[in-house]
């Protein structure tokens, strides 16, 4: 997997709605577009945009079922992505964390 592919996947996962979609499909095994739309309470066109980003990144596999689309996780691609990130996570200092307030690395005073 190239750095460009890693970047594309990371960007796709950088959206909270897309993360929710991935989490739900991981939990359920597969979901139809209508179920994703109902779950997120978003317009079908918005859900289609988000699922297209995940499909284009190779994280989801779209399967047409008549007039609807069913999505499932591309397990191999997702696992490869996670394995490539593992060395970076393993090297991260345990006494540092990312602050959600300002997206900066700050000293972890609680040693979590």
């Amino acid at each position: 997997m190239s750095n460009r592919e890693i970047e594309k996947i990371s960007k796709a996962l950088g959206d909270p709605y897309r993360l929710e979609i991935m989490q739900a499909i991981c939990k359920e095994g597969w979901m139809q577009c209508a179920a994703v739309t109902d779950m997120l309470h978003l317009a079908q066109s918005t859900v289609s945009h988000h699922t297209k980003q995940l499909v284009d990144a190779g994280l989801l596999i779209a399967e047409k079922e008549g007039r609807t689309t069913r999505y499932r996780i591309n397990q191999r691609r997702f696992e490869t992505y996670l394995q490539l990130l593992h060395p970076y996570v393993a090297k991260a200092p345990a006494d540092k964390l990312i602050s959600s307030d300002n997206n900066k690395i700050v000293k972890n005073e609680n040693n979590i």
Side-chain angles (χ1 to χ4, degrees):
M1 184 177 291
S2 71
N3 284 345
R4 192 159 181 80
E5 290 174 295
I6 294 169
E7 179 184 356
K8 189 171 191 170
I9 292 171
S10 297
K11 283 183 179 180
L13 293 173
D15 181 273
Y17 288 121
R18 292 194 281 267
L19 279 177
E20 268 192 78
I21 292 168
M22 289 292 291
Q23 290 168 342
I25 295 173
C26 279
K27 181 180 176 187
E28 298 297 324
W30 63 271
M31 289 182 80
Q32 289 186 337
C33 187
V36 176
T37 301
D38 291 345
M39 175 190 76
L40 295 176
H41 305 289
L42 295 173
Q44 190 273 329
S45 60
T46 304
V47 170
S48 291
H49 166 76
H50 287 301
T51 54
K52 182 179 181 337
Q53 297 297 312
L54 293 166
V55 168
D56 288 350
L59 293 171
L60 289 183
I61 296 171
E63 301 168 336
K64 291 296 270 182
E65 286 187 335
R67 298 180 74 196
T68 188
T69 303
R70 172 176 131 145
Y71 297 99
R72 63 184 172 88
I73 301 294
N74 183 343
Q75 200 67 36
R76 181 174 290 156
R77 177 93 164 164
F78 194 49
E79 287 174 2
T80 300
Y81 172 72
L82 293 175
Q83 287 172 357
L84 289 170
L85 291 182
H86 182 73
Y88 300 106
V89 174
K91 291 179 182 177
D95 65 337
K96 305 277 185 184
L97 64 86
I98 303 289
S99 167
S100 61
D101 295 332
N102 56 12
N103 292 328
K104 293 182 180 177
I105 297 177
V106 295
K107 182 80 171 165
N108 182 356
E109 296 173 8
N110 298 323
N111 287 328
I112 298 174

